[in-house]
Amino acid sequence: MDGGEMTLGPPKSRAGRRTIGIPSAIVPALTGHLAEFVAGELDAFVFLGKRGGFLRGNNFRREAKWADALKETGIKGLHFHDLRHPGNALAAQSGASLADLKARMGHDSDRAALIYQHATRDADQKIADALSARVEAEQGKSDGGTAAPV
């Protein structure tokens, strides 16, 4: 805000301007949204209010019927920006490197990206399975391929 008026400026950090991949599962919904609500210019905004204005806290909640959606799902106290954490945690669980996650999230610092990495039993089992496969592959090389599984 500059003197009460919304102005556009650069992202908070140089990492904020980026291109990211979109999960193919959401492409049909995004394509439909673009066709119905977004102007044809390449630099058109993807999400605007009904009258073409920028979405900010209050008008986003009103136009998106955020309170109704939360009530319908039984979730209390969730803010739209809160969705960033589970989205980034899921990206971290994909096995991406820290550098990949920083680029996807638009973070310059390791510390900011590490917030979204959580140890899980599932991830630990995947690590154990990958290590086991490597041990078995090496054992197979050393005895001509007849090694028993470890």
Side-chain angles (χ1 to χ4, degrees):
M1 300 290 287
D2 186 17
E5 188 172 316
M6 177 79 89
T7 59
L8 295 177
K12 291 188 285 186
S13 72
R14 60 188 152 89
R17 183 172 291 262
R18 62 205 183 276
T19 300
I20 62 168
I22 298 172
S24 60
I26 68 167
V27 168
L30 186 56
T31 301
H33 174 84
L34 292 172
E36 187 172 347
F37 299 107
V38 180
E41 297 85 19
L42 291 176
D43 62 349
F45 286 91
V46 176
F47 301 104
L48 292 172
K50 286 180 186 173
R51 293 179 276 173
F54 296 113
L55 290 173
R56 292 180 283 184
N58 282 338
N59 68 346
F60 165 78
R61 286 188 291 278
R62 183 179 57 251
E63 294 208 25
K65 297 182 172 81
W66 189 252
D68 294 341
L70 293 180
K71 189 175 182 178
E72 187 177 314
T73 59
I75 299 172
K76 294 181 181 182
L78 181 72
H79 298 92
F80 184 77
H81 191 75
D82 295 339
L83 298 175
R84 182 172 172 82
H85 192 90
N88 287 333
L90 290 170
Q93 290 171 12
S94 74
S97 70
L98 181 58
D100 292 333
L101 292 171
K102 284 171 55 179
R104 183 171 186 82
M105 295 178 214
H107 290 159
D108 276 331
S109 75
D110 290 353
R111 184 179 174 277
L114 285 170
I115 290 169
Y116 302 102
Q117 294 190 321
H118 306 282
T120 64
R121 286 183 136 322
D122 214 26
D124 186 53
Q125 188 59 53
K126 286 180 184 176
I127 293 168
D129 292 346
L131 291 171
S132 184
R134 295 213 43 191
V135 168
E136 290 171 3
E138 289 302 316
Q139 287 175 334
K141 286 181 190 175
S142 66
D143 66 5
T146 60
V150 176

